[in-house]
């Protein structure tokens, strides 16, 4: 689904990603762990070109999205993105937040989009909030709406950038539950998170990043039970 070759990213003289190579297969749930400043979010944001790589290529579903001739807006219609701070439009109702993109991109008629929004809201237990505005919702509710908004475009892959780190602890569970449902439904997911329980339970593969490198990757069970790299061992000893 996603093929990353020799990916590097610098901000000025600061090298944030250093020659990364990675494949993400359909149906995989890849969880990216690592300390703050390790390059996790930059790596994720490069996958849909929210950050432009300094070097290397990224191929999504057979299309080289780093090719200047690529219409990235077209490609992004197939890549759902969920941010740390929700990024909902404050002046629009929840229903409008969800239906705007499918209608604007002509993926659906207004009626289809409204029906899809209703189904998705029902799925995350927020059907009664369709006509509310974002400022009337809790953080956990906003993040569930942000996930629904991305799903309304029927993406092939979902990218999550620390989706629970801005939430009160008691709201984290409700968002992770929605993400687990998605995983169970077979959605391809790349998740940058600090939630070790989620990584262990839902991930099909865990990547550990530090200093702009992927230092270790493994299946969750092996990763948590027998970390190999000294930096991974040190990190896990502090967070588990």
């Amino acid at each position: 689904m996603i093929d990353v070759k020799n990916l590097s990213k610098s901000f000025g003289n600061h090298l944030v990603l250093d020659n990364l190579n990675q494949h993400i297969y359909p149906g995989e749930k890849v969880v990216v762990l690592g300390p703050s400043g390790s390059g996790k979010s930059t790596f994720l944001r490069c996958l849909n070109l929210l950050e432009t790589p300094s070097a290397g290529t990224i191929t999504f579903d057979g299309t080289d999205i780093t090719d200047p001739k690529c219409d990235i807006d077209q490609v992004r219609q197939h890549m759902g993105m969920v941010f740390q701070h929700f990024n909902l439009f404050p002046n629009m109702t929840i229903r409008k937040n969800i239906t705007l993109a499918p209608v604007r991109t002509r993926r659906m008629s207004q009626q289809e989009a409204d029906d899809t929004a209703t189904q998705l809201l029902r799925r995350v237990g927020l059907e009664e909030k369709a006509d509310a505005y974002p400022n009337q919702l809790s953080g956990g509710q906003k993040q569930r709406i942000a996930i629904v908004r991305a799903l309304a475009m029927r993406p092939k892959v979902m990218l999550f950038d620390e989706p629970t780190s801005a939430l009160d602890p008691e709201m984290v569970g409700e968002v992770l539950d929605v993400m687990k449902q998605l995983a169970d439904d077979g959605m391809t997911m790349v998740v940058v998170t600090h939630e070790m329980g989620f990584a262990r339970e839902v991930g099909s593969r865990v990547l550990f990043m530090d200093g702009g490198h992927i230092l270790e990757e493994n299946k969750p069970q092996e990763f948590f039970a027998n970390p190999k790299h000294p930096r991974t061992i040190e990190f896990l000893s502090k967070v588990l």
Side-chain angles (χ1 to χ4, degrees), residues 13 29 42 55 232:
N13 296 327
K29 290 89 188 130
T42 303
T232 316

Side-chain angles (χ1 to χ4, degrees), residues 13 32 44 50 56 66 92 98 123 135 148 153 164 197 213 235:
N13 296 327
V32 187
L44 190 79
L50 283 178
T66 43
M92 294 180 188
I98 296 166
R123 183 172 162 183
N135 67 358
V148 161
M153 289 293 284
T164 58
H213 296 97
F235 176 79

Side-chain angles (χ1 to χ4, degrees), residues 154-165:
R154 298 182 180 145
K156 294 177 181 174
V157 62
M158 288 280 284
L159 309 176
F160 292 88
D161 189 7
E162 300 197 17
T164 58
S165 62

Side-chain angles (χ1 to χ4, degrees), residues 4-10 15-22 43 53-57 209 211-215:
V4 177
K5 285 190 178 144
N6 309 121
L7 172 66
S8 294
K9 174 65 180 174
S10 297
L15 183 65
V16 180
L17 301 176
D18 189 4
N19 202 34
L20 303 187
N21 291 280
Q22 191 56 232
F43 171 64
S54 305
T57 59
M209 288 186 70
H213 296 97
I214 296 169
L215 299 182

Side-chain angles (χ1 to χ4, degrees), residues 17-50:
L17 301 176
D18 189 4
N19 202 34
L20 303 187
N21 291 280
Q22 191 56 232
H23 309 281
I24 292 154
Y25 296 98
E28 268 201 306
K29 290 89 188 130
V30 177
V31 180
V32 187
L33 304 178
S36 295
S38 58
K40 307 184 299 292
S41 288
T42 303
F43 171 64
L44 190 79
R45 292 168 68 86
C46 282
L47 296 182
N48 66 358
L49 249 54
L50 283 178

Side-chain angles (χ1 to χ4, degrees), residues 24-31 44 156-160 178-184 186-191 198 202 204:
I24 292 154
Y25 296 98
E28 268 201 306
K29 290 89 188 130
V30 177
V31 180
L44 190 79
K156 294 177 181 174
V157 62
M158 288 280 284
L159 309 176
F160 292 88
V178 172
M179 293 169 65
K180 284 173 191 165
Q181 279 174 31
L182 271 185
D184 290 343
M187 175 63 76
T188 308
M189 298 163 68
V190 186
V191 185
F198 178 85
V202 180
S204 42

Side-chain angles (χ1 to χ4, degrees), residues 29 122 199 240:
K29 290 89 188 130
R122 190 176 299 142
L240 292 179

